[in-house]
Amino acid sequence: MVGDRARAAGELSLKDRSLNYQNAGSVQTNARRPLVGAALLSLLLVACSAGDPASVIAKADAEIAAGKYGEANVMLKKLVQDFPDNAGARARLAAIAVNQGDYQAAEAELSRVERSALPDAASQRTRLQVDIGLARYREVLQALDDPALKMAAADAMLLRGQAQRGLGQRAEAIDSYRRALSDKPDMSDAVVGIAEAQLADDDVTAATRTLEEYLGRQPNDPDALVARGKIYGRKGEFANAAASFAKAVANAPASWPPSRRWSAKYQQAEAHLRRNDVAGAKAVYEELNKAVPGIAATRLLAARIALLERRFNDGIEELQRLSQGAPGNDSIELLLAQAQFAGGSREQGVTTLERLVARNAKNLDAVKLLARVRLEQ
């Protein structure tokens, strides 16, 4: 089920733009330092990639752990130029793509090597994470039964739970997450998985209890804070939701995946909008637009702010561009129709709604709005 797709759902894709995450938002005070750093990195790559791929991979792993995805990407790209069949390097490039929310790019890297060639637990885990991101849930469950897997039991149980959630097997997923936690009690992804499965079953009380118990031990865990923010939003407590998302970003380690970081910021802006706090939403938008300009989520946020400020033409123009870039996106089409009505473009709004309903007659919001508009004619 789309709503249960592991951690890929709700995370911003950064594939629209290449980022150097270490330097994003920073100010360089020494004009000579970038040249020196580039020279040292170049020397390092020449020295290591020619004869010692393992050393380059180890250094890339350290950079990824420190959140320096740009530096790791440069090292690994150079390495696969020299050693195109190096499965470990391909898997780490795929891991960087996953952390950016780009599963197609990750698959492109992994498709160049055989599954059986993946040399270590981290590579095998990335392979299965990509399969989950691409909704290959049954294949993941089958792969997890392979005795040749090298990953830890808790990591395998986490992936099993994510695949089961993707198949709508929420009770089984919760059991798998709990088995993962029996080995690693502070595995936040498993805790969040349980809470999200409970929330999908409309058990808000159980989901809240799951997260509060964990946050009592790990009060600054960013993933748990994001999950709690979603629950606050579900309850209509948008001020608390915005605060929880903001705390997640403020306390996240450098290694927290960029897709999760910017998704949390987007959800913070969404919470501000839901409580008509345009100023709060605009402040978050400015941060997002500086860090990841041009991606669809940031542009959608700009359009929604424009509509709340009654700048209907600006909002409609941005939504039209988004609709052209993502044909078939019902949410954007419905918002566009609503904006057209609010801006006085009734005929265009009707046309947009008719197109949407013709494509998806099960969209009840669009059907109801179109019926109401026709009755008012």
Side-chain angles (χ1 to χ4, degrees):
M1 295 183 181
V2 174
D4 277 338
R5 287 187 181 177
R7 305 313 303 273
E11 296 179 1
L12 298 186
S13 172
L14 306 182
K15 63 185 177 181
D16 310 72
R17 179 176 180 267
S18 177
L19 294 174
N20 182 322
Y21 297 103
Q22 182 192 24
N23 295 327
S26 66
V27 177
Q28 179 56 256
T29 58
N30 185 336
R32 297 177 62 187
R33 195 173 301 164
L35 295 177
V36 173
L40 288 175
L41 180 58
S42 177
L43 289 172
L44 174 66
L45 292 174
V46 170
C48 293
S49 66
D52 189 8
S55 176
V56 177
I57 289 174
K59 290 180 183 296
D61 284 342
E63 299 284 34
I64 291 171
K68 299 177 183 178
Y69 296 97
E71 286 85 340
N73 190 69
V74 171
M75 291 181 183
L76 293 166
K77 285 291 188 183
K78 179 64 170 66
L79 181 58
V80 296
Q81 287 179 2
D82 297 336
F83 300 91
D85 296 327
N86 189 293
R90 293 287 182 192
R92 281 151 179 84
L93 285 169
I96 292 172
V98 168
N99 285 338
Q100 295 175 342
D102 191 348
Y103 288 90
Q104 294 295 339
E107 175 65 15
E109 291 292 346
L110 290 173
S111 66
R112 300 172 185 239
V113 295
E114 295 292 332
R115 287 176 182 256
S116 58
L118 296 172
D120 51 43
S123 300
Q124 293 175 349
R125 183 171 59 249
T126 298
R127 172 67 271 178
L128 296 180
Q129 287 173 331
V130 173
D131 288 334
I132 288 171
L134 297 176
R136 298 169 182 160
Y137 306 121
R138 297 192 187 281
E139 290 90 333
V140 170
L141 294 177
Q142 183 177 356
L144 286 169
D145 290 330
D146 186 348
L149 281 180
K150 300 176 182 179
M151 71 182 68
D155 294 334
M157 275 298 159
L158 174 68
L159 291 168
R160 184 177 295 277
Q162 291 173 336
Q164 288 165 330
R165 276 182 59 201
L167 292 169
Q169 300 169 0
R170 290 192 281 271
E172 293 88 344
I174 289 174
D175 180 65
S176 294
Y177 290 137
R178 286 180 173 152
R179 291 172 66 184
L181 288 169
S182 68
D183 281 350
K184 290 185 178 180
D186 289 330
M187 178 181 270
S188 65
D189 280 350
V191 174
V192 171
I194 292 172
E196 290 184 344
Q198 292 167 331
L199 198 60
D201 283 331
D202 293 323
D203 195 343
V204 177
T205 300
T208 301
R209 183 172 58 248
T210 295
L211 290 171
E212 292 300 338
E213 288 176 355
Y214 179 72
L215 286 167
R217 303 193 311 271
Q218 300 288 344
N220 294 324
D221 184 274
D223 293 305
L225 288 167
V226 167
R228 188 177 67 176
K230 293 177 182 178
I231 291 178
Y232 280 136
R234 180 82 165 260
K235 295 177 179 179
E237 300 176 18
F238 299 116
N240 287 333
S244 195
F245 294 131
K247 184 177 179 181
V249 174
N251 290 282
S255 58
W256 204 38
S259 59
R260 297 190 188 187
R261 184 179 302 277
W262 305 126
S263 179
K265 293 299 293 183
Y266 182 85
Q267 291 176 88
Q268 181 188 353
E270 171 75 19
H272 286 305
L273 289 174
R274 294 295 298 274
R275 60 194 295 259
N276 292 320
D277 179 6
V278 179
K282 287 182 74 172
V284 177
Y285 165 75
E286 294 298 336
E287 294 179 46
L288 278 170
N289 196 45
K290 182 178 180 180
V292 283
I295 68 171
T298 306
R299 293 165 56 201
L300 178 59
L301 185 57
R304 295 183 62 196
I305 290 171
L307 296 178
L308 284 175
E309 293 181 329
R310 305 189 66 80
R311 294 184 287 111
F312 296 116
N313 287 341
D314 292 341
I316 289 170
E317 288 177 5
E318 187 62 82
L319 287 169
Q320 287 174 330
R321 287 191 290 267
L322 286 166
S323 179
Q324 292 168 1
N329 187 306
D330 287 3
S331 297
I332 292 175
E333 288 276 300
L334 181 59
L335 183 58
L336 172 60
Q338 292 168 334
Q340 288 167 331
F341 289 128
S345 302
R346 181 186 181 89
E347 184 176 340
Q348 292 179 358
V350 170
T351 300
T352 301
L353 277 179
E354 289 176 340
R355 182 173 62 242
L356 172 54
V357 171
R359 185 177 67 243
N360 182 8
K362 294 182 180 180
N363 190 314
L364 296 182
D365 290 330
V367 171
K368 290 177 181 177
L369 180 56
L370 181 59
R372 186 169 74 247
V373 170
R374 286 173 172 167
L375 285 174
E376 293 173 354
Q377 288 180 339

